[in-house]
Amino acid sequence: MSKNPVALCYIIVFLALCGCSINTVQSTIPTTAPTVPSQLINTPSSGTNGGTSSLPGGTTIPITWGNLDLTGKLVYTAAVIQNNQLLVNVQILDFTTGAITTIFQTPNGAWVDAVTVSPDNKQLVLSYTPPVTAPFYAGIDTLYIMPLDGSQTPQLLLTPPPTNEGYFEPEWSPDGKYVYFAHFDYSSPTNYQLMRVAYPNGEAEKVVDKAFWPRISNDGTSLVYTSTATGVNTLYVSKADGSGAHQVPLRGSYIPQVIDSPMFLADDGSILFSAPAFGLSFTPSWFDRLFGITDAFADGTIVSDWWSVPLAGGIPKRLTHLQSLGLFARFSPDKKHIASYCADGIFIMNLDGTGVTQVINYTGGQPGTVNWIP
């Protein structure tokens, strides 16, 4: 996801110039999400009050996944165009009925970067940026919390950082005691930190330097993340408090240099991560250089696929051929399937990447996140 405000100009022009199409095998959506505004504002947004998108709140879609025996619900973000404004809906898809409900919609000029559901499935933490017209913390990216049932609008969880910094990529620990997140300093494009805050009233503390995309192991003891300490994206694993950090060594003829969105697989013995296929790498174009875009760290601008590697390291194994942008994954509650969010929609797949089935065909062409609850 793009965290560079300079890149926002690039994104806006890109969105204006490019269209999008959806294909269950190949992606042709060349867009990425602007990390712009969102907050605690007087914003009515529940039930059927969603925007006029391909999938507005209050919609029921055909159940095309009936043969997969899926249960539970997906909680995800989807960008919409309403009154010529790019907004973000937080929506819930019920696998049993096909019903889609919008529990929150950003006001004009606001943005939601990511959402994460608490382990008890009662709360939702959002990386949320208020509009510049907001009475408090206008335009500052930080963490908010709201009930998963949408009965209240987002409330501030963590005091915002200074105006040239932001908090993104929230992730609950499995025991619900911490919310992990990434801290970005816009004045230094490679100055990333992983932090965490004890829930509900703790103080933010640094966990790891030069890192982003925190995900906790299923047993709650370990942390996997993407590090830029070596100058390229690398996989690192540490204890949950950040101690004992070590690189996961990748071997073989192809070692991707753009690695995003890692997570532990079901047995905590392997790591799932997104990366471009062989031959697809980031080379700044004249347009990139014009706007000062010189790296592709977690910016979602390279079509990627899911890969896996043993926790001890080894040769990366390509699992999918989605070729899409902004990949993010979650397990089903029974750990039998993976929900894969991307700019083309949301797909369900087996743990080995086979059996890819599209369940949501529209997410607004923007990176986002998905959660799977019982």
Side-chain angles (χ1 to χ4, degrees), residues 51-313:
T52 54
S53 71
S54 296
L55 295 176
T59 296
T60 298
I61 62 175
I63 297 177
T64 59
W65 52 85
N67 63 321
L68 300 181
D69 194 28
L70 303 180
T71 59
K73 301 175 181 179
L74 294 184
V75 182
Y76 61 96
T77 57
V80 298
I81 300 293
Q82 182 172 305
N83 299 323
N84 296 319
Q85 296 289 330
L86 182 62
L87 311 176
V88 178
N89 284 341
V90 179
Q91 298 184 311
I92 299 179
L93 167 65
D94 188 321
F95 276 129
T96 301
T97 65
I100 293 176
T101 303
T102 298
I103 62 171
F104 178 68
Q105 183 181 83
T106 59
N108 291 348
W111 197 259
V112 170
D113 176 74
V115 299
T116 180
V117 177
S118 61
D120 62 6
N121 302 312
K122 294 181 179 180
Q123 302 289 327
L124 187 72
V125 169
L126 310 88
S127 171
Y128 179 40
T129 316
V132 294
T133 57
F136 303 104
Y137 309 119
I140 301 177
D141 313 295
T142 192
L143 303 186
Y144 289 77
I145 191 168
M146 65 178 287
L148 186 59
D149 63 9
S151 59
Q152 297 180 24
T153 53
Q155 307 295 309
L156 196 66
L157 174 67
L158 187 62
T159 302
T163 55
N164 64 335
E165 301 174 18
Y167 296 153
F168 301 94
E169 302 167 358
E171 179 73 12
W172 285 91
S173 62
D175 60 9
K177 294 182 178 180
Y178 289 95
V179 176
Y180 288 74
F181 58 96
H183 175 203
F184 290 80
D185 183 346
Y186 293 132
S187 64
S188 178
T190 59
N191 188 7
Y192 311 148
Q193 294 177 337
L194 287 189
M195 303 185 73
R196 68 178 183 179
V197 58
Y199 181 78
N201 299 310
E203 295 290 330
E205 60 178 348
K206 184 174 69 173
V207 178
V208 182
D209 265 323
K210 295 184 178 180
F212 47 87
W213 280 129
R215 298 295 290 269
I216 309 299
S217 60
N218 299 284
D219 64 9
T221 64
S222 300
L223 174 70
V224 64
Y225 54 90
T226 300
S227 172
T228 61
T230 63
V232 296
N233 291 27
T234 49
L235 287 174
Y236 266 73
V237 173
S238 71
K239 294 181 180 178
D241 63 2
S243 63
H246 62 276
Q247 184 176 348
V248 177
L250 302 184
R251 300 192 301 272
S253 59
Y254 174 60
I255 299 177
Q257 295 189 351
V258 180
I259 293 173
D260 278 332
S261 195
M263 78 171 190
F264 289 95
L265 285 171
D267 62 356
D268 287 337
S270 297
I271 298 169
L272 183 78
F273 64 94
S274 73
F278 179 76
L280 292 175
S281 60
F282 179 77
T283 302
S285 67
W286 68 267
F287 202 84
D288 297 321
R289 287 188 284 267
L290 176 64
F291 284 102
I293 303 170
T294 58
D295 63 60
F297 295 145
D299 67 359
T301 62
I302 299 176
V303 292
S304 298
D305 268 294
W306 289 116
W307 301 68
S308 69
V309 67
L311 190 62

